[in-house]
Amino acid sequence: METLDRQAMFIHDSRNAVLLGEAKGIEKGIEKGIEKGIALGKREEKQSIARSLLNRLSVEEISQITGLSASEVEQLQSER
């Protein structure tokens, strides 16, 4: 009987460990997804600002203001 109790406890503990690990993995995945989303939003905002400045400033000035590389600004310019 004692052996069955130990086996049941082992199975129970193992399941809990797996569930806890899974929950932590999901939480970490959500955090990384949020971070990526924020970074993407910031990049899109920089691109939007750069587009609005294309007719007013040089590529170099836009690059300095937005933090985008000159080639990225030129790419936005060529898409117009």
Side-chain angles (χ1 to χ4, degrees):
M1 189 94 131
E2 199 172 295
T3 302
L4 289 178
D5 289 341
R6 286 184 184 171
Q7 287 177 342
M9 280 179 43
F10 176 78
I11 292 170
H12 182 265
D13 290 347
S14 296
R15 285 183 184 160
N16 284 340
V18 169
L19 292 174
L20 179 62
E22 185 177 306
K24 285 185 179 182
I26 290 170
E27 184 177 326
K28 209 172 230 184
I30 290 171
E31 288 174 9
K32 284 189 177 211
I34 289 170
E35 289 172 7
K36 283 184 177 183
I38 289 170
L40 180 60
K42 287 179 180 180
R43 180 165 186 74
E44 288 175 356
E45 181 180 21
K46 289 178 180 185
Q47 290 173 339
S48 176
I49 291 168
R51 282 187 195 95
S52 70
L53 297 173
L54 284 172
N55 292 331
R56 299 182 185 128
L57 301 173
S58 70
V59 170
E60 291 79 23
E61 290 170 318
I62 295 170
S63 176
Q64 288 177 344
I65 291 168
T66 62
L68 296 173
S69 70
S71 63
E72 290 172 304
V73 175
E74 289 169 353
Q75 178 66 36
L76 293 172
Q77 197 172 36
S78 71
E79 292 173 0
R80 296 179 88 212

